[in-house]
Amino acid sequence: MPALARTIAASAIEAETPFDAPAIEAVVMRAFGPGRYAKTAERLREGRTPAVGFVARDGGAVVGSVRLWNITIGGAPALFLGPIAVDRASRSDGVGARLVEAAVEAARASGASGVLLVGDQGFFGRLGFA
């Protein structure tokens, strides 16, 4: 088995739990730094509870996270994706894509009208976002 395939398989994608909150905060802070608090997207999430979130674990440690937040677009329930954060050592392992895929699957299952995000077109375009 190639090394990359072993690495991807080693990172399990799971629903986040309340116990994951400190580790998620640490991953997001390492990925975005304190400047994230100045972003408009952060204002939309501030003081709210995510609808659902997923973590990537490697050997039990949280190495990535993504969350979805309830929003309304044109009167229809939708979900706002973000932040998605992956530790630097796991960024080329496909962990981010697998986290986004889990979030999109959850959005479909919820019956949301769509998923809104603000992010890099190069990354998210490969995953089907426009």
Side-chain angles (χ1 to χ4, degrees):
M1 175 185 298
L4 179 59
R6 278 195 307 277
T7 304
I8 291 172
S11 297
I13 306 298
E14 302 173 353
E16 75 173 69
T17 72
F19 300 106
D20 293 321
I24 291 168
E25 178 62 22
V27 167
V28 172
M29 189 58 79
R30 285 191 299 272
F32 297 104
R36 79 180 228 237
Y37 295 111
K39 295 182 178 188
T40 302
E42 193 66 28
R43 299 286 72 76
L44 294 172
R45 296 185 287 262
E46 193 172 65
R48 301 178 59 208
T49 301
V52 65
F54 296 92
V55 294
R57 295 184 198 281
D58 189 0
V62 172
V63 296
S65 169
V66 67
R67 288 176 164 168
L68 291 168
W69 307 80
N70 291 313
I71 59 171
T72 302
I73 299 174
L79 293 161
F80 181 50
L81 186 147
I84 175 163
V86 177
D87 276 339
R88 186 171 310 281
S90 299
R91 288 187 188 158
S92 62
D93 296 345
V95 172
R98 290 179 52 227
L99 283 164
V100 171
E101 289 167 1
V104 169
E105 286 176 26
R108 281 190 184 117
S110 77
S113 63
V115 175
L116 174 71
L117 64 87
V118 177
D120 178 64
Q121 178 62 31
F123 176 77
F124 288 105
R126 293 189 328 247
L127 301 173
F129 286 89

